[in-house]
């Protein structure tokens, strides 16, 4: 196994960790503040979702030898933040537990695998491309705004692509070059870094039929219908024989464990897959090491949530955006090739455009509606291709 570990996997794992720490932790803290949680409740929430995800990612990636990053649903977290005036935290906690049970049941019944088989890959990849396009746009904006730091990171990445050597990972050059630029320019902050040990607190739970309908069902859709489909769909597109049902079951177990300590639903990390399973993560057989490395590093988020949060005032956001963007470029290129290189290209185009448009209906973000719109578009304009695809299943 160790012979499959390459330098590119190290850098991909580090980059995914940087994105997790500086791209998602601030959102988590913001939503916790919206919900009015205590320090102990927030600490317990952050600890369990990151720690359980890290353990599952390591186990799944090593066992199946595939990059399978399991974290938590970002759209689900955002959705919870919109419910601050409608439900108590006890009702939300109970609804998250119900969502976990439903996710586990769907995984055990094999419904996750059936969904993956019936969804046309070009449409899934079109949706995936549209969903991650924002990271590329954000990278370009960051580069224009901060040429010294973000521009240096992007330039180093391009230098790595020009060198085209497996010993010189482009993303690794971006991490190092951008980090040096931060130090030279003095763009980093000087905020103190504080330490507080994580708390483990079982929340009060108040089961409500209204909360189950308004929270549990959307959370299942966001976790399985978005995260799992996008993440596992990308792995399938990379040629991996993805164990869809076992992974879906594991996500359900994780979601239940998370809920018992105040957390929300787990999912296969969309952005994590885009970084860890891309060509920049090294040869395909060894990319699972990138997921393992990222998971080990994310345990520090679980064990040191407070100091990581204070580090947000140290590294410039433009540097983080630039790293996320360059790490996803090859995934976007691959997704576009798989979307428009064969059949159902119109459906894939519609899915891409809808997913790239930021909106939500019934609390569900555009990526989910992109799948429905893509299938509907193919049914209208590419009926024969769609029927042939379904007939082969």
């Amino acid at each position: 196994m160790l012979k499959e570990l390459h330098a590119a996997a190290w850098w991909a794992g580090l980059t995914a960790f940087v994105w997790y720490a500086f791209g998602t932790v601030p959102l988590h803290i913001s939503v916790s503040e919206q919900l009015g949680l205590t320090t102990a409740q927030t600490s317990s929430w952050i600890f369990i979702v990151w720690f359980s995800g890290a353990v599952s990612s390591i186990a799944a990636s090593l066992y199946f030898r595939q990059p399978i990053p399991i974290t938590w649903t970002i759209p689900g977290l955002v959705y919870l933040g919109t419910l601050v005036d409608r439900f108590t935290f006890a009702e939300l906690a109970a609804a998250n537990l119900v969502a976990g049970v439903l996710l586990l049941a769907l995984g055990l019944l094999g419904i996750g695998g059936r969904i993956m088989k019936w969804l046309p890959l070009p449409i899934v990849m079109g949706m995936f491309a549209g969903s991650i396009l924002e990271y590329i746009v954000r990278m370009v904006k960051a580069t224009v705004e901060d040429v010294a730091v973000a521009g240096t990171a992007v330039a180093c990445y391009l230098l790595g692509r020009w060198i085209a050597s497996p010993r010189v990972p482009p993303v690794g050059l971006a991490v190092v070059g951008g980090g040096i630029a931060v130090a030279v320019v003095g763009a980093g902050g000087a905020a103190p870094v504080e330490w507080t040990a994580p708390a483990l607190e079982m929340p009060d739970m108040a089961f409500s039929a209204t909360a189950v309908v308004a929270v549990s069902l959307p959370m299942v859709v966001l976790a399985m219908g978005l995260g799992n489909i996008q993440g596992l769909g990308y792995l399938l597109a990379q040629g991996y024989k993805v164990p869809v049902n076992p992974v879906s079951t594991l996500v359900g177990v994780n979601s239940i464990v998370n809920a018992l300590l105040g957390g929300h639903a787990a999912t296969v990390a969309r952005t994590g897959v885009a970084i860890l399973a891309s060509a920049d993560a090294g040869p395909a057989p060894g990319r699972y090491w990138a997921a393992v490395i990222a998971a080990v590093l994310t345990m520090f988020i679980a064990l040191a949530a407070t100091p990581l949060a204070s580090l947000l005032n140290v590294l410039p956001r433009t540097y983080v955006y630039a790293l996320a963007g360059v790490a996803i470029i090859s995934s976007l290129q691959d997704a576009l090739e798989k979307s428009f290189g064969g059949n159902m290209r119109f459906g894939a185009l519609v899915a891409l455009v809808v997913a790239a448009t930021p909106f939500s209906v019934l609390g569900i973000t555009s990526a989910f509606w992109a799948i429905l719109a893509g299938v509907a578009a193919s049914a209208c304009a590419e009926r024969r291709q769609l029927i042939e695809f379904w007939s082969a299943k």
Side-chain angles (χ1 to χ4, degrees), residues 93-356:
N96 281 328
L97 179 59
V98 173
V101 173
L102 291 174
L103 286 168
L104 176 59
L106 291 174
L108 292 173
L109 293 173
I111 294 177
R114 295 173 191 172
I115 293 175
M116 295 303 302
K117 289 181 179 179
W118 281 90
L119 284 177
L121 183 61
I123 293 175
V124 172
M125 296 311 294
M127 176 269 291
F128 182 79
S131 298
I132 65 176
L133 186 61
E134 64 176 299
Y135 297 104
I136 307 300
V137 174
R138 193 181 294 168
M139 175 193 69
V140 174
K141 288 183 178 179
T143 303
V144 173
E145 295 173 2
D146 189 357
V147 177
V149 174
T152 298
V154 173
C156 289
Y157 172 81
L158 294 175
L159 176 62
R161 294 295 295 263
W162 180 74
I163 294 174
S165 170
R167 296 184 178 181
V168 187
V171 176
L173 279 183
V175 172
V176 174
I180 293 175
V182 170
V184 172
V185 176
V193 177
E194 301 177 358
W195 166 260
T196 299
L200 297 179
E201 181 173 295
M202 294 188 67
D204 294 330
M205 293 192 181
F207 291 91
S208 161
T210 303
V212 169
V213 173
V215 181
S216 304
L217 297 182
M219 194 65 65
V220 170
V221 172
L222 293 171
M224 177 168 282
L226 293 183
N228 285 12
I229 288 178
Q230 292 180 81
L232 298 182
Y234 184 73
L235 286 177
L236 287 169
Q238 293 299 304
Y240 290 104
K241 295 181 179 179
V242 183
V244 177
N245 291 332
V247 173
S248 299
T249 301
L250 182 59
V251 166
V253 172
N254 255 48
S255 299
I256 293 175
V257 172
N258 291 349
L260 291 175
L261 287 174
H264 65 301
T267 192
V268 176
R270 178 190 69 187
T271 305
V273 166
I275 296 173
L276 302 169
S278 71
D280 286 334
R287 290 177 194 169
Y288 67 92
W289 276 112
V292 172
I293 292 167
V296 170
L297 292 174
T298 56
M299 286 186 176
F300 288 98
I301 298 178
L303 298 172
T306 300
L308 280 175
S310 61
L311 279 175
L312 293 172
N313 298 318
V314 176
L315 287 180
R317 191 165 294 271
T318 52
Y319 173 57
V320 178
Y321 287 161
L323 287 185
V326 297
I328 287 174
I329 284 179
S330 62
S331 295
L332 177 62
Q333 178 182 345
D334 184 74
L336 291 174
E337 291 173 353
K338 289 182 170 60
S339 298
F340 304 112
N343 294 329
M344 289 178 276
R345 286 177 287 184
F346 181 66
L349 176 62
V350 170
L352 185 152
V353 173
V354 173

